[in-house]
């Protein structure tokens, strides 16, 4: 982690563009692992969800607390009347001169919950805490997948942009040579114009590719909570482990998804929450007991009267019937939602597994030697064209085919990485 931080500080200090619309951009060369580490630390959505988990923990603390006792002081006479003094009826002080000829009553009561209501309330809030934890895991799963796909997209777009820039450099050299030949009268003007038209088309492709890069840069800057002036450079993606991906089995992936997916766990926890809610509502049908103690000074035939009592609701009309029925229906509703979620998980894993298989077929169909020799062949064609061994049409056709083939190779790799990442997402497990 210290190495990552040091790398980030060093790279952020290197200017990438001198000035873009008056704002300096800093380049940050970053790998996928470094991006994920930064994401887990800096992302605002994750920070907010962590606070929600702390709120759920606080609700458990609150549910464990006992009701406060109640104390009341009543019937206090603030002065002594003349009739009281003339009758000779006096009340001695409690201590010193305090309380002389003063009458008052004091009550102390404590609510005692019956039916295990407090314990059931704690159990309900504990399930809510577990749900909040799974929501955090679900948010991490969604945002991490979004981060990785954006990272793959950035890597693809920057690689494709590099291809276009390389072609532009080659075309510029060719155009300089042709303009010299045109000035000497060795070439027709139309050939120079055709190369200039190709350069304009290539420049437009570069602008469009740069706009795509900027769009992905914006999304990644938000996910990683980086300054808007940062310019990310994605490290080249390693080739996926094809043999490992080919060994994946659908049944195993389904079992992994059922066991790991946070949204599946949330549906089960919501079913459990409904059951705990029913237990609490059923317990609320039992009336609570209030125990009390009363002290009356000077208001009874006894100077100091102590009394004890109890109070309880009589469940004649309201026995919490509606809430009990509602929570019972909630259990059935949660079971239906759980069954539906399992169907969704099964469909998502199955379809994503099929997409991965198609992506593997497309990736394996690529000729590794052809991809490696493509640059060399292009250089050879350029030399043939300079020596006039091939005509303009043949060269331009190969020029377009070269860019198209390069793009196809990059897209095929990106698609396989996306398919692998989507399978990791639907199974909630890292598939390498």
């Amino acid at each position: 982690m210290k190495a990552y931080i040091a790398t980030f500080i060093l790279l952020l200090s290197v200017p990438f563009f001198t000035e873009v619309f008056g704002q300096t951009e800093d380049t940050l060369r970053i790998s996928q692992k470094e991006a994920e580490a930064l994401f887990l630390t800096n992302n605002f959505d994750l920070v907010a969800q962590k606070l929600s988990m702390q709120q759920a923990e606080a609700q458990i603390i609150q549910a464990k607390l006992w009701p406060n006792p109640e104390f009341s002081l009543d019937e206090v006479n603030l002065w002594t009347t003349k009739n009281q003094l003339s009758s000779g009826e006096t009340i001695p002080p409690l201590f010193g001169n305090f309380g002389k000829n003063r009458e008052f009553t004091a009550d102390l009561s404590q609510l005692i919950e019956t039916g295990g209501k407090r314990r059931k309330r704690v159990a309900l809030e504990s399930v809510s805490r577990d749900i909040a934890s799974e929501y955090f895991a679900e948010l991490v799963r969604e945002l991490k997948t979004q981060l990785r796909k954006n990272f793959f997209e950035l890597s693809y777009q920057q690689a494709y942009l590099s291809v276009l820039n390389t072609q532009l450099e080659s075309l510029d050299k060719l155009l300089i040579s042709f303009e010299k030949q045109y000035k000497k009268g060795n070439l027709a003007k139309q050939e120079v114009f055709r190369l200039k038209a190709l350069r304009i088309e290539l420049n437009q492709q570069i602008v469009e590719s740069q706009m795509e890069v900027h769009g992905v840069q914006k999304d990644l800057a938000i996910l990683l909570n980086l300054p808007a002036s940062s310019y990310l450079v994605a490290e080249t993606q390693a080739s996926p482990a094809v043999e490992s991906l080919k060994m994946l089995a659908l049944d195993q992936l389904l079992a992994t998804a059922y066991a790991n997916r946070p949204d599946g766990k949330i549906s089960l926890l919501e079913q459990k929450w409904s059951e705990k809610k029913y237990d609490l509502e059923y317990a609320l049908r039992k009336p609570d007991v209030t125990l009390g103690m009363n002290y009356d000074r000077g208001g009874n035939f006894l100077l100091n009267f102590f009394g004890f009592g109890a109070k309880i609701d009589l469940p004649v009309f309201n026995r919490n019937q509606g809430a009990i029925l509602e929570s019972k229906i909630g259990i059935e509703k949660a079971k239906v939602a759980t069954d539906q979620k399992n169907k969704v998980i099964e469909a998502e894993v199955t379809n994503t597994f099929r997409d991965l298989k198609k992506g593997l077929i497309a990736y394996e169909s690529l000729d590794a030697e052809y991809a490696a020799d493509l640059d060399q062949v292009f250089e050879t064609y350029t030399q043939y064209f300079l020596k006039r061994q091939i005509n303009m049409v043949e060269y331009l056709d190969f020029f377009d085919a070269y860019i198209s083939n390069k793009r196809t190779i990059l897209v095929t790799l990106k698609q396989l990485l996306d398919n692998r990442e989507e399978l990791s997402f639907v199974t909630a497990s890292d598939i390498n």
Side-chain angles (χ1 to χ4, degrees), residues 263-324:
D263 54 343
K265 294 180 182 179
I266 288 172
S267 66
L268 292 173
L269 285 171
E270 287 177 343
Q271 182 177 332
K272 184 178 180 181
W273 186 91
S274 298
E275 294 170 353
K276 298 298 182 182
K277 179 71 160 45
Y278 173 79
D279 293 340
L280 177 60
E281 295 294 349
Y282 193 77
L284 288 174
R285 83 191 193 284
K286 297 180 180 180
D288 296 327
V289 177
T290 301
L291 301 179
M293 182 181 70
N294 171 262
Y295 171 70
D296 190 337
R297 175 174 172 77
N300 207 317
F301 68 95
L302 296 176
L303 175 61
N304 296 303
F305 173 79
F306 290 91
F308 300 90
K311 182 173 66 175
I312 187 171
D313 288 337
L314 297 179
V316 177
F317 304 109
N318 182 0
R319 297 188 298 278
N320 210 32
Q321 301 96 316
I324 292 173

Side-chain angles (χ1 to χ4, degrees), residues 180-356:
K180 290 180 179 179
Q181 293 297 321
Y182 168 69
K183 290 178 181 179
K184 294 179 180 180
N186 297 331
L187 288 176
K189 189 175 183 179
Q190 293 84 347
E191 291 190 272
V192 177
F193 274 23
R194 185 66 188 90
L195 288 179
K196 287 185 176 180
L198 177 61
R199 191 182 189 281
I200 292 174
E201 294 175 5
L202 190 57
N203 267 325
Q204 180 59 33
Q205 293 182 47
I206 290 174
V207 170
E208 292 175 356
S209 181
Q210 287 173 337
M211 292 176 65
E212 293 290 338
V213 169
H214 292 160
V216 182
Q217 290 276 345
K218 178 201 68 175
D219 295 337
L220 284 172
I222 294 173
L223 285 170
L224 300 178
N225 189 21
L226 292 174
S229 60
S230 299
Y231 186 90
L232 298 176
V233 178
E235 291 188 357
T236 304
Q237 291 297 305
S239 300
V242 175
E243 295 302 323
S244 177
L245 294 177
K246 290 168 66 174
M247 294 176 61
L248 295 174
L250 180 58
D251 292 341
Q252 182 182 2
L253 293 172
L254 284 171
T256 301
Y258 288 137
N260 292 354
R261 276 187 55 159
D263 54 343
K265 294 180 182 179
I266 288 172
S267 66
L268 292 173
L269 285 171
E270 287 177 343
Q271 182 177 332
K272 184 178 180 181
W273 186 91
S274 298
E275 294 170 353
K276 298 298 182 182
K277 179 71 160 45
Y278 173 79
D279 293 340
L280 177 60
E281 295 294 349
Y282 193 77
L284 288 174
R285 83 191 193 284
K286 297 180 180 180
D288 296 327
V289 177
T290 301
L291 301 179
M293 182 181 70
N294 171 262
Y295 171 70
D296 190 337
R297 175 174 172 77
N300 207 317
F301 68 95
L302 296 176
L303 175 61
N304 296 303
F305 173 79
F306 290 91
F308 300 90
K311 182 173 66 175
I312 187 171
D313 288 337
L314 297 179
V316 177
F317 304 109
N318 182 0
R319 297 188 298 278
N320 210 32
Q321 301 96 316
I324 292 173
L325 179 59
E326 184 271 339
S327 59
K328 188 174 183 180
I329 295 172
I331 294 176
E332 297 301 321
K333 182 180 177 181
K335 289 180 179 179
V336 172
T338 300
D339 293 339
Q340 175 65 17
K341 176 56 66 175
N342 288 336
K343 289 292 184 182
V344 170
I345 291 175
E346 181 182 6
E348 288 180 351
V349 173
T350 302
N351 290 335
T352 305
F353 180 70
R354 291 171 179 169
D355 291 342
L356 178 68

